[in-house]
Amino acid sequence: MGEFAEIRSRSRKGKGTRRTTAPINVWCLPAEREELERLAKTAGLSMSAYLREVGTGNQPRSVVDYDQVATMARANADLNRLGGLLKMWLTNEERLTPEQVTQLIRDIADGKEVLMRAAKKIIRSKR
């Protein structure tokens, strides 16, 4: 059992479920509510769980878009492969044709663009 699960089970012993206890109402402006909802979503928590975490002094961890991370990992692997080909071209007697070198450089630029788009999506999702 993880540390968080242990804390939750200890804090709930003998106290019933959260749904049977009295809620706490928080008054806020619509813009503040939107910001809290955005932060809760970024952390992958419900609004109630997010406010409970923050209210008890815990810093909720953000959830990263794992699809974008996978895209970045694939693009990184492709760039490593292309870099290996370029290194081979520069160091070996076997030379690539000018067309192959041009295509290799285009592929590297395309891979860089894929990484940049994925990184921007992750950064935008954090705002």
Side-chain angles (χ1 to χ4, degrees):
M1 185 180 328
E3 181 181 334
F4 182 68
E6 289 177 29
I7 292 170
R8 285 184 68 197
S9 69
R10 277 190 304 221
S11 66
R12 292 174 58 181
K13 285 184 181 173
K15 296 183 181 179
T17 63
R18 287 192 179 101
R19 294 200 184 250
T20 61
T21 60
I24 299 172
N25 294 315
V26 178
W27 299 99
C28 58
L29 298 171
E32 293 169 329
R33 181 182 180 94
E34 288 174 13
E35 178 67 6
L36 288 169
E37 288 171 345
R38 185 190 65 75
L39 291 169
K41 183 179 178 185
T42 300
L45 299 171
S46 67
M47 180 83 109
S48 181
Y50 178 79
L51 291 173
R52 193 169 41 253
E53 286 294 306
V54 173
T56 56
N58 297 320
Q59 179 64 37
R61 295 187 180 161
S62 295
V63 175
V64 175
D65 185 348
Y66 291 106
D67 291 335
Q68 295 306 318
V69 171
T71 299
M72 291 176 73
R74 282 190 303 274
N76 186 52
D78 289 344
L79 286 173
N80 285 333
R81 180 185 56 80
L82 294 169
L85 287 172
L86 186 58
K87 181 178 177 182
M88 179 192 74
W89 177 72
L90 294 170
T91 59
N92 288 349
E93 293 294 320
E94 301 170 22
R95 296 290 178 172
L96 299 174
T97 65
E99 294 82 22
Q100 289 173 317
V101 173
T102 302
Q103 185 58 46
L104 184 59
I105 292 171
R106 278 192 202 118
D107 290 347
I108 290 172
D110 291 345
K112 178 184 168 204
E113 184 60 33
V114 169
L115 279 173
M116 291 302 293
R117 277 195 308 266
K120 285 178 183 177
K121 283 183 182 178
I122 290 172
I123 291 168
R124 269 184 283 190
S125 72
K126 296 286 186 196
R127 291 183 188 172

